[in-house]
Short mmCIF file of all heavy atoms in Angstrom, two decimals:
data_model
loop_
_atom_site.label_atom_id
_atom_site.label_comp_id
_atom_site.label_asym_id
_atom_site.label_seq_id
_atom_site.Cartn_x
_atom_site.Cartn_y
_atom_site.Cartn_z
N PRO A 6 -42.98 -2.24 11.55
CA PRO A 6 -43.96 -1.22 11.89
C PRO A 6 -43.79 -0.86 13.36
O PRO A 6 -43.43 -1.69 14.17
CB PRO A 6 -45.30 -1.87 11.64
CG PRO A 6 -45.03 -3.21 11.11
CD PRO A 6 -43.57 -3.47 11.16
N ARG A 38 -48.37 -4.24 0.23
CA ARG A 38 -48.04 -4.18 1.65
C ARG A 38 -49.28 -3.72 2.40
O ARG A 38 -49.86 -2.68 2.07
CB ARG A 38 -46.89 -3.22 1.89
CG ARG A 38 -46.36 -3.25 3.29
CD ARG A 38 -45.07 -2.44 3.33
NE ARG A 38 -44.49 -2.47 4.63
CZ ARG A 38 -43.65 -3.39 5.08
NH1 ARG A 38 -43.30 -4.37 4.29
NH2 ARG A 38 -43.17 -3.34 6.29
N ARG A 39 -49.71 -4.51 3.40
CA ARG A 39 -50.90 -4.18 4.18
C ARG A 39 -50.64 -4.43 5.65
O ARG A 39 -50.11 -5.47 6.03
CB ARG A 39 -52.09 -5.08 3.79
CG ARG A 39 -52.64 -4.85 2.42
CD ARG A 39 -53.57 -3.65 2.41
NE ARG A 39 -54.33 -3.54 1.20
CZ ARG A 39 -53.90 -3.02 0.07
NH1 ARG A 39 -52.69 -2.58 -0.02
NH2 ARG A 39 -54.67 -2.95 -0.98
N ARG A 40 -51.08 -3.52 6.46
CA ARG A 40 -51.07 -3.74 7.91
C ARG A 40 -52.41 -4.38 8.26
O ARG A 40 -53.46 -3.93 7.81
CB ARG A 40 -50.89 -2.43 8.65
CG ARG A 40 -50.73 -2.67 10.14
CD ARG A 40 -50.28 -1.41 10.85
NE ARG A 40 -49.96 -1.74 12.22
CZ ARG A 40 -48.74 -1.76 12.72
NH1 ARG A 40 -47.72 -1.45 11.96
NH2 ARG A 40 -48.54 -2.08 13.97
N LEU A 41 -52.37 -5.43 9.06
CA LEU A 41 -53.55 -6.19 9.43
C LEU A 41 -53.84 -5.92 10.89
O LEU A 41 -52.98 -6.10 11.74
CB LEU A 41 -53.31 -7.68 9.21
CG LEU A 41 -52.73 -8.06 7.83
CD1 LEU A 41 -52.25 -9.49 7.83
CD2 LEU A 41 -53.74 -7.80 6.75
N GLY A 42 -55.04 -5.46 11.18
CA GLY A 42 -55.41 -5.12 12.55
C GLY A 42 -55.56 -6.32 13.44
O GLY A 42 -55.92 -7.41 13.00
N LYS A 43 -55.27 -6.12 14.70
CA LYS A 43 -55.34 -7.15 15.72
C LYS A 43 -56.68 -7.89 15.66
O LYS A 43 -57.74 -7.28 15.78
CB LYS A 43 -55.16 -6.50 17.09
CG LYS A 43 -55.34 -7.39 18.26
CD LYS A 43 -55.17 -6.59 19.54
CE LYS A 43 -55.53 -7.40 20.75
NZ LYS A 43 -55.34 -6.63 21.97
N ALA A 44 -56.62 -9.20 15.46
CA ALA A 44 -57.79 -10.10 15.48
C ALA A 44 -58.90 -9.70 14.51
O ALA A 44 -60.04 -10.11 14.67
CB ALA A 44 -58.34 -10.22 16.90
N ASP A 45 -58.59 -8.91 13.49
CA ASP A 45 -59.59 -8.46 12.52
C ASP A 45 -59.66 -9.44 11.35
O ASP A 45 -58.94 -9.28 10.37
CB ASP A 45 -59.25 -7.05 12.03
CG ASP A 45 -60.29 -6.50 11.08
OD1 ASP A 45 -61.34 -7.16 10.87
OD2 ASP A 45 -60.06 -5.41 10.52
N ALA A 48 -59.76 -8.86 7.52
CA ALA A 48 -58.54 -8.65 6.74
C ALA A 48 -58.24 -9.82 5.81
O ALA A 48 -57.55 -9.65 4.81
CB ALA A 48 -57.35 -8.42 7.69
N LEU A 79 -51.79 -17.92 6.01
CA LEU A 79 -50.81 -17.22 6.84
C LEU A 79 -51.43 -16.03 7.56
O LEU A 79 -51.14 -15.78 8.74
CB LEU A 79 -49.62 -16.76 5.99
CG LEU A 79 -48.75 -17.84 5.37
CD1 LEU A 79 -47.52 -17.21 4.73
CD2 LEU A 79 -48.37 -18.92 6.36
N VAL A 80 -52.28 -15.28 6.86
CA VAL A 80 -52.93 -14.13 7.49
C VAL A 80 -53.85 -14.60 8.63
O VAL A 80 -53.81 -14.03 9.73
CB VAL A 80 -53.73 -13.32 6.44
CG1 VAL A 80 -54.66 -12.30 7.10
CG2 VAL A 80 -52.77 -12.62 5.48
N THR A 81 -54.63 -15.63 8.38
CA THR A 81 -55.51 -16.16 9.41
C THR A 81 -54.72 -16.61 10.63
O THR A 81 -55.07 -16.29 11.77
CB THR A 81 -56.37 -17.32 8.86
OG1 THR A 81 -57.15 -16.84 7.77
CG2 THR A 81 -57.28 -17.90 9.93
N ASN A 82 -53.63 -17.35 10.41
CA ASN A 82 -52.79 -17.80 11.53
C ASN A 82 -52.27 -16.62 12.34
O ASN A 82 -52.32 -16.64 13.57
CB ASN A 82 -51.61 -18.64 11.03
CG ASN A 82 -52.00 -20.06 10.72
OD1 ASN A 82 -53.11 -20.50 11.00
ND2 ASN A 82 -51.07 -20.79 10.13
N ALA A 83 -51.78 -15.61 11.65
CA ALA A 83 -51.23 -14.45 12.37
C ALA A 83 -52.29 -13.74 13.20
O ALA A 83 -52.02 -13.30 14.32
CB ALA A 83 -50.59 -13.47 11.38
N LEU A 84 -53.49 -13.64 12.67
CA LEU A 84 -54.55 -12.94 13.38
C LEU A 84 -55.18 -13.76 14.50
O LEU A 84 -55.60 -13.21 15.51
CB LEU A 84 -55.62 -12.47 12.40
CG LEU A 84 -55.14 -11.45 11.37
CD1 LEU A 84 -56.26 -11.14 10.38
CD2 LEU A 84 -54.63 -10.19 12.04
N ILE A 85 -55.23 -15.06 14.33
CA ILE A 85 -55.85 -15.92 15.34
C ILE A 85 -54.87 -16.26 16.47
O ILE A 85 -55.25 -16.30 17.63
CB ILE A 85 -56.40 -17.22 14.70
CG1 ILE A 85 -57.64 -16.89 13.89
CG2 ILE A 85 -56.72 -18.26 15.76
CD1 ILE A 85 -58.21 -18.07 13.15
N THR A 87 -52.04 -14.73 17.49
CA THR A 87 -51.27 -13.67 18.15
C THR A 87 -52.26 -12.68 18.73
O THR A 87 -53.44 -12.72 18.43
CB THR A 87 -50.33 -12.94 17.16
OG1 THR A 87 -51.11 -12.20 16.23
CG2 THR A 87 -49.43 -13.92 16.43
N ASP A 88 -51.75 -11.80 19.51
CA ASP A 88 -52.61 -10.79 20.12
C ASP A 88 -52.10 -9.40 19.74
O ASP A 88 -51.97 -8.52 20.57
CB ASP A 88 -52.61 -10.97 21.64
CG ASP A 88 -53.68 -10.14 22.32
OD1 ASP A 88 -54.70 -9.84 21.66
OD2 ASP A 88 -53.49 -9.79 23.49
N ASP A 89 -51.77 -9.25 18.46
CA ASP A 89 -51.21 -7.99 17.98
C ASP A 89 -51.49 -7.86 16.49
O ASP A 89 -52.06 -8.76 15.88
CB ASP A 89 -49.70 -7.97 18.23
CG ASP A 89 -49.17 -6.56 18.44
OD1 ASP A 89 -49.78 -5.60 17.93
OD2 ASP A 89 -48.14 -6.42 19.12
N ASP A 90 -51.07 -6.74 15.92
CA ASP A 90 -51.19 -6.52 14.48
C ASP A 90 -50.23 -7.45 13.73
O ASP A 90 -49.38 -8.10 14.33
CB ASP A 90 -50.83 -5.08 14.13
CG ASP A 90 -51.80 -4.07 14.70
OD1 ASP A 90 -52.86 -4.47 15.21
OD2 ASP A 90 -51.49 -2.88 14.64
N ALA A 91 -50.37 -7.47 12.43
CA ALA A 91 -49.46 -8.20 11.56
C ALA A 91 -49.28 -7.36 10.30
O ALA A 91 -50.03 -6.41 10.06
CB ALA A 91 -50.01 -9.58 11.22
N VAL A 92 -48.28 -7.71 9.50
CA VAL A 92 -48.02 -7.01 8.25
C VAL A 92 -47.88 -8.04 7.14
O VAL A 92 -47.08 -8.98 7.25
CB VAL A 92 -46.74 -6.15 8.33
CG1 VAL A 92 -46.45 -5.48 6.99
CG2 VAL A 92 -46.87 -5.11 9.43
N LEU A 93 -48.65 -7.86 6.08
CA LEU A 93 -48.59 -8.71 4.89
C LEU A 93 -47.77 -7.98 3.84
O LEU A 93 -48.03 -6.81 3.54
CB LEU A 93 -50.00 -8.97 4.36
CG LEU A 93 -50.11 -9.51 2.93
CD1 LEU A 93 -49.54 -10.92 2.84
CD2 LEU A 93 -51.56 -9.48 2.48
N THR A 94 -46.79 -8.67 3.27
CA THR A 94 -46.02 -8.13 2.15
C THR A 94 -45.98 -9.19 1.06
O THR A 94 -45.64 -10.35 1.33
CB THR A 94 -44.57 -7.78 2.56
OG1 THR A 94 -44.62 -6.89 3.67
CG2 THR A 94 -43.82 -7.12 1.41
N GLU A 105 -45.04 -12.73 2.61
CA GLU A 105 -44.55 -12.80 3.98
C GLU A 105 -45.58 -12.18 4.90
O GLU A 105 -46.11 -11.11 4.59
CB GLU A 105 -43.23 -12.03 4.06
CG GLU A 105 -42.60 -11.96 5.41
CD GLU A 105 -41.26 -11.27 5.36
OE1 GLU A 105 -40.30 -11.85 4.81
OE2 GLU A 105 -41.17 -10.14 5.87
N VAL A 106 -45.87 -12.84 6.00
CA VAL A 106 -46.76 -12.28 7.02
C VAL A 106 -45.94 -12.18 8.30
O VAL A 106 -45.51 -13.20 8.85
CB VAL A 106 -48.03 -13.12 7.23
CG1 VAL A 106 -48.88 -12.52 8.35
CG2 VAL A 106 -48.84 -13.18 5.94
N ARG A 107 -45.71 -10.96 8.71
CA ARG A 107 -44.92 -10.71 9.90
C ARG A 107 -45.84 -10.39 11.07
O ARG A 107 -46.79 -9.63 10.93
CB ARG A 107 -43.99 -9.52 9.67
CG ARG A 107 -43.19 -9.24 10.92
CD ARG A 107 -42.08 -8.32 10.70
NE ARG A 107 -41.41 -8.16 11.99
CZ ARG A 107 -40.57 -7.22 12.25
NH1 ARG A 107 -40.27 -6.35 11.33
NH2 ARG A 107 -40.00 -7.15 13.43
N ASP A 108 -45.55 -11.01 12.21
CA ASP A 108 -46.28 -10.69 13.43
C ASP A 108 -45.28 -10.31 14.50
O ASP A 108 -44.08 -10.28 14.25
CB ASP A 108 -47.22 -11.83 13.84
CG ASP A 108 -46.49 -13.10 14.23
OD1 ASP A 108 -45.52 -13.04 15.02
OD2 ASP A 108 -46.89 -14.17 13.74
N PHE A 109 -45.77 -10.01 15.67
CA PHE A 109 -44.92 -9.49 16.73
C PHE A 109 -44.90 -10.40 17.95
O PHE A 109 -44.81 -9.95 19.08
CB PHE A 109 -45.35 -8.05 17.06
CG PHE A 109 -45.30 -7.21 15.82
CD1 PHE A 109 -46.43 -7.03 15.05
CD2 PHE A 109 -44.11 -6.68 15.39
CE1 PHE A 109 -46.38 -6.30 13.87
CE2 PHE A 109 -44.04 -5.95 14.21
CZ PHE A 109 -45.17 -5.77 13.45
N VAL A 110 -44.99 -11.71 17.68
CA VAL A 110 -44.94 -12.75 18.70
C VAL A 110 -43.77 -13.65 18.35
O VAL A 110 -43.69 -14.17 17.24
CB VAL A 110 -46.26 -13.55 18.74
CG1 VAL A 110 -46.17 -14.71 19.71
CG2 VAL A 110 -47.41 -12.63 19.11
N LYS A 149 -41.72 -12.57 14.32
CA LYS A 149 -41.25 -13.46 13.25
C LYS A 149 -42.00 -13.15 11.96
O LYS A 149 -43.01 -12.45 11.97
CB LYS A 149 -41.50 -14.91 13.64
CG LYS A 149 -42.99 -15.21 13.70
CD LYS A 149 -43.28 -16.56 14.24
CE LYS A 149 -44.74 -16.74 14.61
NZ LYS A 149 -45.28 -15.82 15.56
#
Side-chain angles (χ1 to χ4, degrees):
R38 189 170 182 87
R39 291 280 191 278
R40 186 169 188 109
L41 311 167
K43 174 182 172 179
D45 183 6
L79 295 188
V80 168
T81 300
N82 280 352
L84 296 176
I85 287 176
T87 68
D88 191 27
D89 209 334
D90 295 350
V92 177
L93 164 67
T94 305
E105 178 176 290
V106 177
R107 179 168 180 195
D108 65 48
F109 303 95
V110 175
K149 66 188 167 303

